[in-house]
């Protein structure tokens, strides 16, 4: 079981992801924008983060910048409706473990989480 | 301002690819097949805008809006007649019966549908134009009709001759009695320039 923060301003999308994660036995924490997500990272020390891009207050890119600037290496999977190649490249430069487009199938989400967690385990060995 | 036949052909194809991507996202969400029309690209003035945005006898008044800026700029709108919006909310909200109105939860669901579908078409266009666009946060409007929404954007952002390029694609969701339109209004100078770049490289 992994502790995963789901950062998305859409309650609809957030709930869909949380349902997939909890059904698979993970512990999911919800955050409704990037700032709430950063606060949740401090409190919960997650194993993985699933991150939307287009959000109010602090958007996904700014979240990633601040997260990495703070020294965190927690794996981040971007889950966004934004299919632009440029957005994906920017995210990859900021350090992400996966990039999924909405709407994603449950299997895709769980596979990305599994890969992200394996990367972390590999890095720590 | 007048689009050449080549301009129109390229823009139709670009929008067509994007609409296909957007429809695919909507089909995945509702788990139903979507029937699409070929996008109609029209150059018109604001006064005749409503003639090009009609959807049969139905009023398009459930509107998901996302503006975009960059190498190309404009406003995209996913538009449904209210009964279709309610039906979509019922399906995605997992409700047993058709709701009478759009409450906060259903508005949230439709806003996210707009986000996913409109990003499908805009992102696809952005990739073809080899650029990255900035998007506004998606918004849901339920208190005006699409003509007003498009005209309001166009009157602020277009040139004094009040001419706009409108791309309009109609779609039907099988077995659900859901239909709607995907409308994009482009800022003139930028789309002309982007099309020239594509055509000169061809």
């Amino acid at each position: 079981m992994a502790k995963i923060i789901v950062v998305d301003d859409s309650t609809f999308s957030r709930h869909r992801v949380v349902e997939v994660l909890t059904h698979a036995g993970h512990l999911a924490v919800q955050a409704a924008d990037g700032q709430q997500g950063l606060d949740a990272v401090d409190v919960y020390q997650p194993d993985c983060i699933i991150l939307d891009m287009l959000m109010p207050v602090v958007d996904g890119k700014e979240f990633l910048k601040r997260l990495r600037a703070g020294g965190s290496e927690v794996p981040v999977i971007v889950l966004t409706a934004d299919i632009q190649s440029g957005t994906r490249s920017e995210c990859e430069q900021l350090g992400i473990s996966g990039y999924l487009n909405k709407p994603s199938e449950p299997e895709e989400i769980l596979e990305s989480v599994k890969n992200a967690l394996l990367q972390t385990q590999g890095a720590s060995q | 301002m007048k689009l050449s036949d080549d301009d129109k052909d390229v823009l139709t194809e670009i929008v067509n690819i994007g609409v296909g991507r957007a429809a695919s996202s909507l089909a995945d969400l509702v788990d139903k097949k979507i029937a699409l029309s070929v996008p109609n690209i029209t150059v018109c003035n604001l006064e005749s805008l409503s003639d090009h945005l009609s959807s049969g006898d139905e009023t398009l008044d459930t509107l998901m809006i996302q503006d975009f800026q960059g190498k190309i700029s404009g406003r995209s709108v996913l538009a449904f007649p209210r009964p279709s919006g309610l039906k979509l909310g019922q399906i995605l909200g997992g409700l047993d019966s058709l709701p009478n109105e759009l409450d906060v939860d259903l508005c949230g669901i439709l806003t996210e549908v707009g986000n996913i579908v409109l990003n499908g078409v805009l992102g696809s266009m952005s990739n073809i134009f080899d650029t990255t666009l900035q998007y506004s946060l998606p918004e849901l409007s339920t208190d005006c009709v699409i003509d007003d929404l498009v005209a309001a954007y166009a009157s602020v952002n277009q040139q004094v001759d009040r001419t706009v390029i409108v791309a309009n694609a109609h779609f039907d969701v099988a077995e659900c009695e859901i239909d709607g339109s995907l409308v994009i209004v482009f800022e003139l100078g930028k789309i002309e320039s982007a099309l020239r770049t594509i055509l000169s490289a061809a």
Side-chain angles (χ1 to χ4, degrees):
Chain A
M1 181 194 79
K3 204 173 0 173
I4 302 169
I5 297 178
V6 181
V7 190
D8 195 320
D9 61 320
S10 164
T11 309
F12 171 65
S13 282
R14 219 169 52 232
H15 284 178
R16 280 167 69 110
V17 175
V18 166
E19 196 177 310
V20 168
L21 295 174
T22 50
H23 190 257
H26 297 298
L27 176 65
V29 176
Q30 300 184 48
D33 62 53
Q35 186 55 58
Q36 283 188 24
L38 289 166
D39 294 341
V41 169
D42 288 339
V43 173
Y44 294 101
Q45 302 293 311
D47 303 304
C48 180
I49 297 167
I50 295 181
L51 177 69
D52 185 24
M53 278 288 108
L54 196 59
M55 294 183 288
V57 189
V58 171
D59 66 17
K61 280 181 211 164
E62 187 59 29
F63 174 96
L64 269 172
K65 285 178 192 167
R66 293 190 195 177
L67 184 77
R68 298 309 183 212
S72 173
E73 294 180 357
V74 62
V76 175
I77 298 161
V78 170
L79 177 58
T80 177
D82 190 341
I83 63 167
Q84 297 184 92
S85 310
T87 304
R88 184 179 186 136
S89 297
E90 284 180 59
C91 290
E92 285 170 348
Q93 284 165 16
L94 291 167
I96 57 170
S97 300
Y99 194 97
L100 297 173
N101 287 128
K102 294 179 181 177
S104 278
E105 293 295 323
E107 298 77 23
E108 291 178 283
I109 296 169
L110 293 175
E111 185 67 22
S112 282
V113 168
K114 187 178 155 192
N115 290 338
L117 295 173
L118 282 173
Q119 282 173 26
T120 312
Q121 285 166 9
S124 63
Q125 283 172 0
Chain B
M1 185 263 171
K2 191 174 183 299
L3 283 182
S4 69
D5 287 345
D6 283 348
D7 289 340
K8 211 168 179 176
D9 182 59
V10 170
L11 188 56
T12 302
E13 186 57 11
I14 288 170
V15 174
N16 198 20
I17 291 167
V19 169
R21 170 85 196 209
S24 168
S25 298
L26 184 59
D28 287 345
L29 278 172
V30 297
D31 200 20
K32 303 279 183 196
K33 284 186 179 172
I34 309 266
L36 274 177
S37 72
V38 174
N40 182 30
I41 306 290
T42 313
V43 182
C44 64
N45 60 37
L46 293 183
E47 285 68 29
S48 65
L49 194 60
S50 58
D51 298 337
H52 303 283
L53 295 176
S54 62
S55 177
D57 296 332
E58 297 182 296
T59 305
L60 297 171
D61 57 359
T62 305
L63 311 166
M64 289 131 256
I65 311 139
Q66 195 154 32
D67 292 344
F68 54 99
Q69 283 204 320
K71 191 171 172 183
I72 55 171
S73 296
R75 167 165 289 181
S76 62
V77 184
L78 180 63
F80 296 100
R82 186 60 47 87
S84 289
L86 290 169
K87 185 71 184 174
L88 193 55
Q90 181 195 359
I91 293 171
L92 294 175
L95 305 177
D96 293 332
S97 59
L98 190 68
N100 295 319
E101 59 182 0
L102 294 172
D103 63 14
V104 175
D105 288 342
L106 293 181
C107 285
I109 288 172
L110 293 185
T111 305
E112 183 68 347
V113 168
N115 181 36
I116 292 170
V117 172
L118 294 173
N119 269 265
V121 67
L122 296 178
S124 176
M125 289 195 305
S126 162
N127 289 338
I128 291 171
F129 283 119
D130 194 22
T131 188
T132 304
L133 302 173
Q134 281 75 53
Y135 301 139
S136 69
L137 288 170
E139 289 179 50
L140 178 72
S141 168
T142 58
D143 57 4
C144 67
V145 294
I146 189 167
D147 314 41
D148 297 335
L149 203 64
V150 172
Y153 176 85
S155 64
V156 172
N157 292 281
Q158 302 299 321
Q159 292 89 331
V160 286
D161 66 1
R162 297 168 65 78
T163 303
V164 291
I165 298 176
V166 177
N168 187 1
H170 187 81
F171 58 86
D172 281 294
V173 183
E175 307 159 32
C176 291
E177 295 173 354
I178 295 174
D179 68 320
S181 285
L182 209 158
V183 176
I184 306 168
V185 54
F186 293 98
E187 201 177 303
L188 288 178
K190 287 186 175 181
I191 191 67
E192 282 180 286
S193 170
L195 287 170
R196 293 282 171 276
T197 306
I198 293 250
L199 282 166
S200 64

